[in-house]
Amino acid sequence: MTILLVSDDDRSAMACQLLQQQLEQRGQSCLTIGPALSTSRDSPLPSVTPQIPLTLMDLLGHELLESASAVGLFIRRSDHLELFTHAHRHLARQRGVQPAVVFSGPLQASLGDSLVHQLSDRQCCDLLVVPGDRQRRELEAITQFWPESVASPSIVAIGHWFSPERPPLGALKGGTAKPPHTLLALVQEGIPTQIGAKAQLLQQLIRWAETSPEWSIVIQRDHAWEKGQPWISKFKSSDWTFPDNLVFGAPGQLLSQLASCSACLSVSSPWSLTAMAWGRPTLLIGDYGIHSDQDTTTFFGSGLMHRLQSIDHMDQLLGLPPVNTSWLQSMGWGVHDGAARLIRRLVELLP
């Protein structure tokens, strides 16, 4: 079986590389495909270059697609995914051959409205991959009464294939009982959504840094950004005074920071789950409530949501309750044979 994995940005390129490694360990032939990443953008992730430099639409007429058994599409634009899938099947019919199995899935663990939206975006696929059995059961409950005229992809839970299961050997250095300590603040592109909320969060981090000089605070964006673009719109560094122990994270350092920090903080960054699984004390900012527009519904039941005002001094972060292990496992971290599950399901779908 030959499997093609298609990406279109830094996050999906790394995810495809991780899945490729897992599939090849199980004897499958696998190639990563995608355009060269933009040099005008910085990424918090290590640089990854797809093996075959093709865009999704370039792949349509390429000989690689003709010999592929399955194609995994992990791209941002759902309209391109649907256009490619229908065009590929049409071309296969014209040639009198079977089309490759098309599969896709979100690069994060989600629930509720976000999960349903991810299903609707990928309804044209043959197979939908989700992180955990919790997501699989939720989607199967939604689709079980759909009429046969409404296409519904098969669904399989394959774990957090899009994130490293463990940090690099020797990298897990955080959580020591003595200072210096480091707080990693994972900040997001559009969350919190309230006007002025990002500035308020930054002010809180500055106050903590000023009152806890034995701590370092690293503010790390969890997404790629245009070079020189500030995290806060209309942000000017000259408008702020930063203590020496508060810095913005450099590109490419997210994974190493997750491994070595003493504690982690975010509103709802998907990388928070990696911090939890790697043993980092984690605070999910509960000041904005549990709402779909804040992506906080996913974390209901984690036991990690607290208000910022409940933290009087930063050492309290080291004593935060641990994550609800049952919740974390149900969100997909308990699936450790994801590549094998994917292979079995693809074999079942092949003619």
Side-chain angles (χ1 to χ4, degrees), residues 7 9-15 17-18 21 35-39 41-51 227 250-255:
S7 63
D9 64 6
D10 61 321
R11 182 72 178 92
S12 57
M14 190 190 77
Q17 183 188 70
L18 290 171
Q21 293 168 356
L37 301 182
S38 172
T39 58
R41 292 175 66 81
D42 284 325
S43 170
L45 302 172
S47 178
V48 172
T49 301
Q51 293 171 305
K227 290 182 183 293
Q253 300 301 307
L254 174 59
L255 297 182

Side-chain angles (χ1 to χ4, degrees), residues 52-106:
I52 309 297
L54 291 174
T55 67
L56 180 61
M57 293 308 165
D58 289 337
L59 181 60
L60 266 178
H62 201 281
E63 60 183 7
L64 280 172
L65 186 58
E66 297 179 12
S67 59
S69 307
V71 182
L73 303 181
F74 302 100
I75 60 174
R76 289 166 295 173
R77 293 191 55 174
S78 58
D79 57 335
H80 282 190
L81 187 151
E82 186 172 5
L83 178 62
F84 172 88
T85 302
H86 292 321
H88 167 55
R89 290 169 179 162
H90 177 72
L91 289 172
R93 286 195 299 269
Q94 291 289 96
R95 297 197 308 269
V97 298
Q98 288 290 334
V101 175
V102 177
F103 65 99
S104 184

Side-chain angles (χ1 to χ4, degrees), residues 208-260:
W208 279 348
E210 290 173 339
T211 57
S212 301
E214 71 279 13
W215 279 77
S216 295
I217 298 178
V218 178
I219 300 174
Q220 176 62 68
R221 288 190 254 198
D222 74 343
H223 55 279
W225 65 95
E226 294 294 328
K227 290 182 183 293
Q229 180 186 34
W231 169 52
I232 302 176
S233 178
K234 300 180 181 179
F235 173 96
K236 293 181 180 179
S237 57
S238 58
D239 295 338
W240 298 79
T241 300
F242 297 113
D244 292 339
N245 58 335
L246 184 148
V247 298
F248 280 84
Q253 300 301 307
L254 174 59
L255 297 182
S256 60
Q257 290 166 351
L258 281 170
S260 61

Side-chain angles (χ1 to χ4, degrees), residues 121-230:
D121 279 350
R122 297 167 175 84
Q123 199 169 321
C124 61
C125 296
D126 301 299
L127 177 65
L128 181 65
V129 295
V130 295
D133 289 320
R134 183 173 179 181
Q135 285 89 6
R136 176 187 56 79
R137 290 193 299 268
E138 186 170 322
L139 290 178
E140 288 178 345
I142 292 170
T143 59
Q144 65 176 323
F145 298 116
W146 283 9
E148 293 183 2
S149 58
V150 178
S152 175
S154 178
I155 303 168
V156 62
I158 66 169
H160 286 233
W161 60 273
F162 41 76
S163 303
E165 186 173 29
R166 57 184 61 85
L169 186 64
L172 196 57
K173 301 175 183 176
T176 58
K178 297 180 180 180
H181 298 302
T182 300
L183 170 64
L184 178 63
L186 293 175
V187 297
Q188 298 161 264
E189 187 170 17
I191 293 173
T193 60
Q194 289 88 343
I195 296 174
K198 285 184 177 181
Q200 291 174 358
L201 175 56
L202 181 56
Q203 289 168 348
Q204 176 65 71
L205 295 173
I206 291 173
R207 285 195 293 270
W208 279 348
E210 290 173 339
T211 57
S212 301
E214 71 279 13
W215 279 77
S216 295
I217 298 178
V218 178
I219 300 174
Q220 176 62 68
R221 288 190 254 198
D222 74 343
H223 55 279
W225 65 95
E226 294 294 328
K227 290 182 183 293
Q229 180 186 34

Side-chain angles (χ1 to χ4, degrees), residues 208 283 287 305-313 316 320:
W208 279 348
L283 183 150
D287 297 55
M305 193 167 287
H306 307 276
R307 291 187 178 276
L308 292 177
Q309 65 184 17
S310 67
I311 305 298
D312 297 319
H313 54 85
Q316 288 179 265
L320 290 173

